[in-house]
Amino acid sequence: MTRNTAGPAPAVPLPSPKERRRLREARALSEEQVAAAVGVTPATVRAWETGRTNPRGRRRAAYARLIGCAGHRPAPSPSVEATGSSTMSPTEPGTGPSMDAFTPDAPTRDADAEALTLTRDPDADAPAASAPEGHEPAAPVPQPRAGLTAEEAYDALYTLTAPGLTHQMHLLTGRRKLSREAVEHAFRTAWQRWPEVARDRDPAGWVRAVAYEYAMSPWHRLRRTHRRADAPPRDPARRALFEALLGLPPSYRRTLLLHDAVGLGLPETAAETEASTPAAASRLLNARATLAERLPELAGSVDPGGRSTVLQERLGALALAEEVPEPPPAPAVRAGSERVAGLWTRAALCFGVLLVSTTAFTLHTAPTQYEQPLAPAARVGGVPPLGGPEKLTPQDLKLQKSLRGRLAHGPERLVPRIP
């Protein structure tokens, strides 16, 4: 027998769908180019990058080599992986305060966070996406050592990211209570889906995306406590920036914060906002142009890199100057997540019991014998209809004329006599 050359090739580990798209765009490859090189359609490549399907066999290996992740290592199981990473990345000196400085007590971490051994992710050696001129690329996401329990890893992630994420939510919404509520909701959701979050390449980005989606929900307008934004800062410069930022459309505001404040690259920003890279770039340029019309220091800077640097400095100073409510401790968030999950579970069980009871009651009270319904009324034919007085016949007319001709006062009726 001859060996089948079309057989399945050894499985090559691939990153997450979001990371596949980022690596492809970092190499300036379009979906059509990747599809032509691998031998599939652009729709198939799009399905690979959205997570609906995965490549197999030789196409999997060719796709991995094409996007530059042939040496990718699969993520370890959540039992041995501790996912604690900071949402904010430090910047180089001279580029302004970073989002990591939003955490007031960043130098004083707890014992679990200080015990983490942070190392560079070996999978982050892919070519970096081209960022606007003058903008520093985001630093590699630190990864902690293995050996922590799920609770310890979750607490470390919460301690490192929750304070800075609360400041981001305040810049995004302008509401302090909603900022804390969004962060708490995101971390509750993360604890309920912790196995999925633990396997993610960027757990902090996973939590940040959930918090942004919750904070930007239009349903908050129906709530009385969140209809109006909080009072703006007293400083005129900060107030102008704060009001100009809140005046942007939500999608523009989110793109601007992720790119110019958090420090994500353009492909990462597009992937997190679920938009194409050209759409994210257009939103970023429009947001900067709108802010430049209201802020004199941005209007004087024509270079996009200079605008990015000024915006990073101004946004960092604005976030540090504003006081936001301190997020609750991590054990309280975990307990609240478990309590909410328990309430939903009990509600589902009660609904199931109610449904079963209603079905049983219906079966018990329903008739067991079929009763044929009455036939609808049918019209009967052949019977003459009832009528009024009929027309007199000639004989009747003759008799009537005879009676009228007689005397009105005739003799009395004779009583017959019996002989």
Side-chain angles (χ1 to χ4, degrees), residues 262-334:
V262 180
L264 298 183
L266 195 57
E268 290 85 354
T269 303
E272 186 160 332
T273 56
E274 297 181 355
S276 62
T277 304
S282 177
R283 293 174 182 176
L284 183 62
L285 293 177
N286 291 333
R288 288 178 178 175
T290 303
L291 293 182
E293 295 177 358
R294 301 186 179 183
L295 304 178
E297 58 271 21
L298 291 181
S301 178
V302 183
D303 184 15
R307 287 187 180 181
S308 178
T309 303
V310 174
L311 273 176
Q312 190 174 9
E313 296 176 355
R314 293 291 307 275
L315 291 175
L318 177 62
L320 290 176
E322 292 297 313
E323 295 182 0
V324 296
E326 184 179 357
V333 177
R334 284 192 284 106

Side-chain angles (χ1 to χ4, degrees), residues 343-408:
L343 290 176
W344 279 107
T345 303
R346 286 192 290 271
L349 290 177
C350 293
F351 179 77
V353 171
L354 180 62
L355 182 61
V356 171
S357 303
T358 305
T359 305
F361 177 77
T362 304
L363 293 176
H364 180 71
T365 56
T368 58
Q369 184 178 0
Y370 175 74
E371 297 181 0
Q372 187 176 1
L374 298 176
R379 192 166 187 175
V380 180
V383 179
L386 297 178
E390 298 181 0
K391 189 175 181 180
L392 298 178
T393 62
Q395 186 178 0
D396 295 336
L397 293 175
K398 185 178 180 181
L399 178 61
Q400 183 182 13
K401 184 178 180 180
S402 174
L403 293 175
R404 288 179 179 177
R406 294 183 180 183
L407 295 177

Side-chain angles (χ1 to χ4, degrees), residues 67-90:
I67 63 177
C69 63
H72 178 78
R73 295 183 294 107
S77 60
S79 60
V80 298
E81 182 184 15
T83 55
S85 61
S86 176
T87 309
M88 290 65 64
S89 58

Side-chain angles (χ1 to χ4, degrees), residues 85-90 98-103 142 160-165 168 204 208 261-262:
S85 61
S86 176
T87 309
M88 290 65 64
S89 58
S98 64
M99 294 297 289
D100 193 28
F102 288 6
T103 309
L160 293 172
T161 59
L165 189 58
Q168 294 181 40
R208 180 178 60 237
V262 180

Side-chain angles (χ1 to χ4, degrees), residues 126-144:
S130 59
E133 184 180 357
H135 182 77
E136 295 293 336
V141 178
Q143 297 293 337

